[in-house]
Amino acid sequence: MDAPLTQPSEEALLSSLNEAQRQAVLHFEGPALVVAGAGSGKTRTVVHRVAYLMAKRGVYPSEILAVTFTNKAAEEMKERLRRMVKGAGELWVSTFHSAALRILRVYGERVGLRPGFVVYDEDDQTALLKEVLKELGLAARPGPIKGLLDRAKNRGEAPESLLSELPDYYAGLSRGRLLDVLKRYEEALRAQGALDFGDILLHALRLLEEDQEVLKRVRKRARFIHVDEYQDTNPVQYRFTKLLAGEEANLMAVGDPDQGIYSFRAADIKNILDFTRDFPGAKVYRLEENYRSTEAILRFANALIVHNALRLEKTLRPVKPGGEPVRLYRAKDARDEARFVAEEIGRLGPPLDRVAVLYRTNAQSRLLEQALASRGIPARVVGGVGFFERAEVKDLLAYARLSLNPLDGVSLKRVLNTPPRGIGPATVEKVEALARERGLPLFAALKVAAESLSRPLPLRHFLALMEELQELAFGPAEGFFRHLLEATDYPAYLKEAYPEDYEDRLENVEELLRAAKEAEGLMEFLDRVALTARAEEPGEPGGKVALMTLHNAKGLEFPVVFVVGVEEGLLPHRSSWNTSEGVEEERRLFYVGVTRAQERLYLSYAEEREVYGRLEPSRPSRFLEEVDGGLYEEYDPYPTPSRTPPLHRPKPGAFKGGERVVHPRFGPGTVVAAMGDEVTVHFEGVGLKRLSLKYADLRPLG
């Protein structure tokens, strides 16, 4: 759309804003922090502020920089400004990396970059690491090394400086050999006139820190700076922003510390918490009117997040009064939880694309996918892949398929050297050539090659493994997979190959075992997988239910939201329990999930859940305990006879010792010790158990 011939009036720019938004838009010079709550119209505020600077403050568009975190957000902001204000085409609206790359394209030679340098994407980076490993004669996976490089560069540190944080062996390499790889990789980048993605900001930062002339020119082009999602900035982005802002500091940072959930990407929430210390005299504007969610949802959200210490004071106020109550479903187990979600979605009816189901870990999606598919409800996994499409799951399924069908060449190639067993590409090429020459299936050619190649031992070990698996393939599916995991030491391979997300992948493996336990045999299990994993045809009426992790839900909104697995060990995740900062980030993650909901919010937890192959009693999340029970209601529209009645929670001091009690899972027992809200009970046939009165459904006997 063409830019308007005349600039908009002040009335046009301000009339649609609430008072807090208006005050932020009218801010002119000096630093400003806009604490923008979920659904409070922060993008509208930034867009109107940029338009106001141009139309009413006489700021040239060539003096304004607006930084967003995604290219999509940058394009949307540009388009909105083009429709609002004349001259918006000259604005500098980009991501951090795009802004840094633009600077390097003009001034990069000053820090030794060649004209026309290239930027390697993730695939290019992986390919280069493979070349380096091959050149050094090392058998290691590039993935973990790439993760190390990314982490270091996001923190603004040399990768070798992180070696002290690593175990003695990382990605199958000693620290010394890993250092050789890192040095050779950087040399290879320079030799090929290339930067990887992490280098872009680092080189731009170095340029601005070392060259005052360039810094002065860039500051002139970025006299007024806006940075969105400031709570998600990492150390390098923070330094880049602070350097550009300079002493004038015409910087407007927009964000919400209550939605800071990306510490694993090196985001530092302290950047926004310390803004007024970094920029003395900064004005603070709080956007607290929420246009997204109903009053019932926001009352729950406010009561939840107030328990965090690392935050800036803010209370979301609803524009939409009333609304459906927040509903909590107490499931018997994970399968019952998935059944509830599917039945409730079916009851609500189309359109289905208004519904999102959010979970903490990828492994939780498996039962949800199956429950929805069994009821003919189409679903899509957002920001990831379906459970049965994940690499570690596909590896194990490939072993199963090959065990039942040795003619399956695709599965054979996938598992032949997974985990690595010394069967390299050269050996595979020889086996394939042998198969073509003799007209044999690949597996049969493998047996011939094991007797004729000069280094047959790795092939013989693989064939011996397959003989064992073929014998087990006609027994229980779970037993097959457990033997496979033990025989290949697959969990150790995952830990070495994927140190960044090893726990998540191991949870997926455990979930696969749980799925296998439900099938009578391996063939039946694979058939069930094939039916569940089948892609839906495009264009079903009413769209699809969105399934995604809580992290992937950031920035989205849906009329109906289910947050499942709201229990200790999942939310907060057990990996966060060691630090208060970790638990606070988990609480922020739950808050992000809650504030995605516009009209209806469902929460659920299971009374018991399988953990590492054992069915264990689950405790409702501490986050539920923190919120007043009057802010949500227990909801059970599909009663299951086997479920226990609502939790009976004795108060601290209710037991002194010697009382007879009963537990829904452990049965009858005797209290042997009590202190505060914890008791130790001896259960007949089970032994001693230490329980929290907050979570244990412990009832007196007699």
Side-chain angles (χ1 to χ4, degrees):
M1 184 180 294
D2 294 331
L5 296 177
T6 58
Q7 295 292 26
S9 67
E10 185 159 331
E11 172 71 12
L13 289 171
L14 300 178
S15 62
S16 64
L17 306 175
N18 63 41
E19 184 56 28
Q21 293 170 335
R22 178 188 175 96
Q23 291 303 317
V25 167
L26 291 174
H27 179 89
F28 184 34
E29 294 179 319
L33 174 63
V34 179
V35 183
S40 63
K42 68 181 176 68
T43 304
R44 166 183 287 269
T45 303
V46 173
V47 167
H48 281 248
R49 200 258 177 159
V50 171
Y52 192 87
L53 286 176
M54 293 169 58
K56 300 302 166 189
R57 289 291 192 174
V59 177
Y60 294 114
S62 58
E63 296 178 307
I64 299 174
L65 167 64
V67 179
T68 67
F69 264 77
T70 66
N71 289 312
K72 181 183 178 184
E75 287 303 318
E76 288 175 353
M77 186 177 290
K78 283 181 194 174
E79 185 55 37
R80 288 173 70 168
L81 282 161
R82 286 191 193 103
R83 293 197 299 264
M84 286 181 65
V85 64
K86 185 178 179 181
E90 298 175 49
L91 289 166
W92 190 5
V93 184
S94 72
T95 64
F96 273 108
H97 285 87
S98 296
L101 186 57
R102 181 170 173 173
I103 294 169
L104 291 176
R105 286 296 178 205
V106 180
Y107 303 109
E109 290 181 70
R110 298 192 180 212
V111 283
L113 297 180
R114 298 177 182 179
F117 67 85
V118 297
V119 178
Y120 280 178
D121 62 17
E122 290 195 15
D123 289 341
D124 299 326
Q125 190 181 8
T126 300
L128 182 59
L129 280 168
K130 286 180 177 178
E131 286 182 20
V132 168
L133 291 167
K134 185 177 180 181
E135 177 187 324
L136 296 175
L138 299 173
R141 290 179 60 84
I145 304 172
K146 179 184 168 301
L148 173 66
L149 286 161
D150 292 346
R151 188 164 71 252
K153 293 180 180 184
N154 283 337
R155 285 162 56 169
E157 301 175 19
E160 54 267 25
S161 68
L162 299 189
L163 293 183
S164 61
E165 300 177 11
L166 301 177
D168 291 338
Y169 278 83
Y170 180 85
L173 300 173
S174 67
R175 289 179 183 170
R177 295 305 276 158
L178 181 57
L179 182 59
D180 292 339
V181 172
L182 296 176
K183 287 180 176 178
R184 183 69 195 95
Y185 169 78
E186 295 297 338
E187 290 170 0
L189 273 179
R190 287 195 296 273
Q192 297 182 33
L195 302 180
D196 62 28
F197 202 66
D199 285 329
I200 298 172
L201 268 169
L202 280 179
H203 279 71
L205 184 61
R206 182 178 142 218
L207 170 65
L208 297 177
E209 287 177 338
E210 296 178 357
D211 196 316
Q212 290 300 307
E213 182 184 349
V214 172
L215 178 59
K216 185 177 179 181
R217 291 181 187 177
V218 175
R219 278 179 175 169
K220 191 174 180 181
R221 183 65 181 86
R223 186 170 155 235
F224 287 86
I225 305 170
H226 303 74
V227 178
D228 195 11
E229 303 288 5
Y230 196 72
Q231 78 279 352
D232 293 334
T233 51
N234 63 37
V236 177
Q237 292 162 339
Y238 165 78
R239 286 165 57 193
F240 181 79
T241 301
K242 202 163 186 295
L243 194 59
L244 277 189
E247 292 181 6
E248 278 193 349
N250 292 325
L251 167 65
M252 178 172 279
V254 185
D256 182 6
D258 291 341
Q259 297 184 73
I261 58 173
Y262 294 126
S263 63
F264 65 94
R265 296 181 187 168
D268 190 346
I269 195 174
K270 291 179 181 175
N271 293 345
I272 192 168
L273 295 176
D274 294 342
F275 187 86
T276 54
R277 188 191 69 185
D278 291 337
F279 298 95
K283 299 284 187 181
V284 179
Y285 304 94
R286 288 179 169 81
L287 306 187
E288 298 176 301
E289 287 190 56
N290 177 284
Y291 295 87
R292 176 187 299 157
S293 306
T294 62
E295 181 181 4
I297 293 168
L298 293 184
R299 288 178 65 201
F300 184 95
N302 287 329
L304 168 68
I305 202 61
V306 75
H307 292 277
N308 267 12
L310 295 174
R311 66 188 301 261
L312 299 172
E313 192 61 35
K314 175 181 88 294
T315 301
L316 294 179
R317 299 191 302 273
V319 172
K320 302 176 184 175
E324 295 282 331
V326 175
R327 295 186 167 111
L328 174 67
Y329 181 72
R330 185 171 50 89
K332 179 178 183 296
D333 52 27
R335 181 169 294 282
D336 180 37
E337 180 180 57
R339 175 193 64 84
F340 159 71
V341 170
E343 290 189 8
E344 187 68 5
I345 291 173
R347 186 184 72 80
L348 292 173
L352 295 173
D353 55 6
R354 68 185 175 131
V355 181
V357 185
L358 313 181
Y359 38 82
R360 177 62 179 85
T361 68
N362 283 308
Q364 290 170 264
S365 79
R366 195 267 301 182
L367 286 176
L368 292 163
E369 290 177 64
Q370 288 188 334
L372 291 167
S374 69
R375 289 162 178 79
I377 299 174
R380 61 192 177 99
V381 178
V382 179
V385 293
F387 178 81
F388 292 108
E389 294 300 311
R390 291 165 191 154
E392 57 278 11
V393 174
K394 291 192 71 151
D395 286 347
L396 301 180
L397 292 177
Y399 271 108
R401 292 189 181 101
L402 183 62
S403 298
L404 288 166
N405 176 20
L407 296 176
D408 184 354
V410 172
S411 293
L412 174 58
K413 286 184 181 179
R414 184 176 186 101
V415 303
L416 189 55
N417 200 43
T418 303
R421 50 175 62 89
I423 303 175
T427 301
V428 175
E429 287 176 10
K430 290 177 182 176
V431 173
E432 288 179 322
L434 185 62
R436 288 192 298 270
E437 179 186 322
R438 301 197 184 183
L440 295 173
L442 201 57
F443 195 86
L446 202 65
K447 292 182 176 180
V448 174
E451 302 301 324
S452 58
L453 292 182
S454 56
R455 292 184 64 252
L457 208 53
L459 294 181
R460 290 176 182 173
H461 285 162
F462 175 75
L463 289 168
L465 169 66
M466 290 311 304
E467 282 185 18
E468 294 175 14
L469 295 177
Q470 285 167 351
E471 289 181 10
L472 293 169
F474 296 97
E478 184 193 10
F480 173 89
F481 285 114
R482 289 202 179 279
H483 181 85
L484 169 60
L485 292 171
E486 184 178 345
T488 59
D489 204 7
Y490 193 80
Y493 156 69
L494 286 180
K495 190 169 188 177
E496 182 180 291
Y498 305 102
E500 301 296 319
D501 59 354
Y502 157 70
E503 288 188 357
D504 201 17
R505 291 176 184 271
L506 189 59
E507 285 178 2
N508 289 336
V509 170
E510 292 291 338
E511 187 62 32
L512 180 69
L513 291 175
R514 286 192 278 275
K517 187 187 294 186
E518 297 160 9
E520 290 185 10
L522 195 60
M523 182 66 77
E524 179 204 344
F525 176 67
L526 291 178
D527 287 346
R528 187 183 298 175
V529 168
L531 293 173
T532 302
R534 178 186 60 85
E536 296 289 338
E537 291 299 316
E540 302 91 343
K544 298 181 180 181
V545 173
L547 305 177
M548 70 188 85
T549 64
L550 286 158
H551 282 102
N552 283 328
K554 175 78 182 301
L556 303 177
E557 58 184 42
F558 300 87
V560 181
V561 168
F562 293 79
V563 182
V564 300
V566 187
E567 59 205 53
E568 291 292 299
L570 281 176
L571 191 64
H573 194 272
R574 62 182 64 86
S575 63
S576 73
W577 288 349
N578 293 333
T579 66
S580 60
E581 291 83 2
V583 172
E584 287 208 359
E585 181 156 334
E586 292 288 303
R587 191 180 286 108
R588 292 195 293 270
L589 192 57
F590 186 24
Y591 175 82
V592 164
V594 165
T595 54
R596 299 313 91 194
Q598 295 171 302
E599 298 166 10
R600 292 174 181 265
L601 174 64
Y602 297 88
L603 312 173
S604 64
Y605 69 90
E607 290 181 325
E608 56 185 16
R609 197 177 291 270
E610 271 197 57
V611 180
Y612 302 121
R614 297 191 308 273
L615 199 61
E616 297 283 354
S618 301
R619 294 172 13 180
S621 170
R622 68 190 74 181
F623 302 151
L624 290 174
E625 290 287 319
E626 294 166 352
V627 176
D628 188 298
L631 296 179
Y632 59 90
E633 66 175 31
E634 291 220 14
Y635 182 64
D636 191 2
Y638 317 105
T640 305
S642 58
R643 290 176 66 236
T644 61
L647 287 177
H648 167 74
R649 295 183 177 126
K651 295 180 180 179
F655 299 110
K656 305 297 182 186
E659 296 89 350
R660 292 285 292 166
V661 293
V662 64
H663 186 276
R665 177 167 172 76
F666 303 131
T670 304
V671 177
V672 296
M675 181 175 292
D677 69 348
E678 288 192 341
V679 293
T680 301
V681 183
H682 183 270
F683 291 102
E684 299 160 16
V686 178
L688 290 174
K689 291 286 180 181
R690 190 176 176 183
L691 304 171
S692 168
L693 293 180
K694 279 187 178 182
Y695 305 110
D697 190 7
L698 206 59
R699 297 169 181 268
L701 264 182

